[in-house]
Every structure is written in C-alpha cells, then in structure tokens.
Amino acid sequence: MATSQTLPLALTIAGSEATGGAGAQVDLRTFQQHGVFGCMALTCIVSFDPNADWGHRFVPVEPQVIRDQLEAITTAYGPDQLDVVKIGMLGTPVTIETVAGVLRERTFGHVVLDPVLICKGQEPGAALDTDEALTAQVLPQATFVTPNHFETMSLAGVDRIDDVEQLTAAARRIHESSGAAVLAKGGVHLPGDDAVDVYVDAERTEVLRAPKIGDGVQVAGAGCTLAAAVAAQLALGATPFAAARSAKEFVTRGIEARMSSSAPFQVVWQGA
Ligand code: PXL
C-alpha cells in the first residue's frame, strides 16, 4: 500500500457565494490550482436575488458553528502542518469578534486578510461597523492584507485615491499601522492602461502593473482569487513579495479566461 503524503495546506475562513463567483468556492479552487490542500470554515451564506437586481441575501453562520469548524480544523492540523490562513468575508461585527478570538488562541505564521467590507453592488454606508470591528480586531493579527480601492481608502482613512502616488501613500499608512505586508489594489479605478497594485512591507515598496483587460471591465471574484493565490504561494514557501507578484499574474490569467452567465457580472476562472 502506498504511504500517505505530506501536502502544503491552507485554511480559508470565508463566506459562500452560491453561484461560485466569489468567496470560499474561489478560495478552494485557487488552492487546488496551486497544489495546496484546502480546508474551510464558513462564515456566512450569500445568495444573490435575481428578482431584486441581484442584491445580496445574507445569512451569517452562528458563532458557535464557526468555532466548531475551526476546532475541527485546528485539531486535525497542528501548527506544524497548517500555518497559513486566508480570511475573506466575515460580514458582521459578531462574526469578526468570533474569528478574531480564535486567531488569538491559535497562532498562524501567515494570516492573509482580504478586508471585505462590502461586495459589489452594496451601499458603502453598510460597511461602517464592519470596518471598525475589522480594523480593531482582525487587522492587527494580519501578516498580509489585500485591500481594494475602496477598502484602501477606508483602512488608510483617506477620502480619495486618484493616482499611484496616493495609492502608495495609503498602502504605506496601512503597513505602518498594522505591521502587515500590504498589497493595495488600484484595479480599474485609477486612470491609465494598466491595472496598478502597490506592494509595501518593511523592506520595500513596489508598483505592480498588468494591462487592464477588456476595457477595464470589473470582474467579480478577482479580490478573493488574489488573496487566495497569495495564501497558496505562502503555503508553498514563497516570500510575501514573491507571493504578491505570482498572485497578480494568476489573477490576470483568470480574468483573461473569465466566465459569463445570466448574472450581470463576469467571474474569474481559476483553472486558466
Ligand atoms: O467579492 C467579495 C465577496 C466575498 N465573499 C463572498 C461574497 C463576496 C461578494 O459577493 O459574496 C461570500
């Protein structure tokens, strides 16, 4: 009989988006594509409502059920085996408190935080209490954070980011306040032909560029894919900066191979 093998592992703590375009489904596909064994603690269930402009129907998972999932995972896989966690949508201050509590009990070498405040189509105002809880309780425990344009403004406490200099200044500010490596995403929100991201850690500040694809069409699931690819690369032993560069390439390929459906947005294909 063949002996069992040791595999790189990563955990995602994230929500389900039923159509598979965002959330934990994206994370697990991304891990798989990297040869990383994925496990998952589900925080919420999002079901878009086709009869209400594809708005979000959102159901949080009970805090005790989140704790149960994480107990099973962290008991099965000790710190020597599972050292990388990716955090996606938490959704409510109570869920944030629950996850932050578990992170304080069981340390991970790499905590990749995709600071999901709102999903595409939601009102920015809905994010305020989530924003405050995330900043106070989870961000200080993150080793790597991947804010999009809106989240970068929110976490840096600035009103606008219109160019790469402002994006860099905001990313530095988030790095200085959190200590985490920061990959701040300009996406399609900055002018120019390139999708520009800024990477900042204690040693370096780097601007990452890739040509905007399809006239800068916004594709759902790109943020989840990017953070999950960073986590997968870290699980494979990459440095944070190498993980950032590789993840941007992975997302660019996935956006090129994007998939459409009867929903009003296209989604990243991680299998490209
Ligand atoms: O893309 C952000 C995101 C993350 N996680 C879940 C989501 C969304 C956006 O829809 O539903 C579960």
Side-chain angles (χ1 to χ4, degrees), residues 41-172:
L42 203 65
T43 56
C44 59
I45 298 175
V46 171
S47 318
F48 296 140
D49 187 349
N51 299 312
D53 208 15
W54 296 83
H56 288 57
R57 292 175 291 200
F58 167 88
V59 178
V61 171
E62 285 282 318
Q64 188 55 47
V65 178
I66 297 173
R67 278 192 288 270
D68 290 349
Q69 295 173 81
L70 289 167
E71 180 187 26
I73 293 163
T74 56
T75 309
Y77 309 119
D80 53 330
Q81 197 173 8
L82 175 62
D83 196 39
V84 177
V85 55
K86 185 231 143 164
I87 299 174
M89 184 168 173
L90 300 177
T92 72
V94 170
T95 302
I96 288 169
E97 212 165 284
T98 304
V99 170
V102 173
L103 289 179
R104 281 191 285 268
E105 288 160 22
R106 155 73 149 84
T107 45
F108 292 85
H110 299 282
V111 177
V112 180
L113 173 63
D114 184 16
V116 180
L117 297 180
I118 48 168
C119 296
K120 283 190 179 66
Q122 278 185 300
E123 283 300 315
L128 267 183
D129 54 351
T130 307
D131 177 9
E132 280 168 19
L134 203 66
T135 305
Q137 300 192 50
V138 184
L139 186 59
Q141 304 192 64
T143 62
F144 198 121
V145 59
T146 60
N148 65 20
H149 183 256
F150 170 74
E151 293 153 358
T152 301
M153 290 193 288
S154 179
L155 295 180
V158 298
D159 290 336
R160 48 190 315 153
I161 295 177
D162 298 328
D163 55 36
V164 68
E165 287 74 28
Q166 289 174 350
L167 184 64
T168 304
R172 283 226 181 90

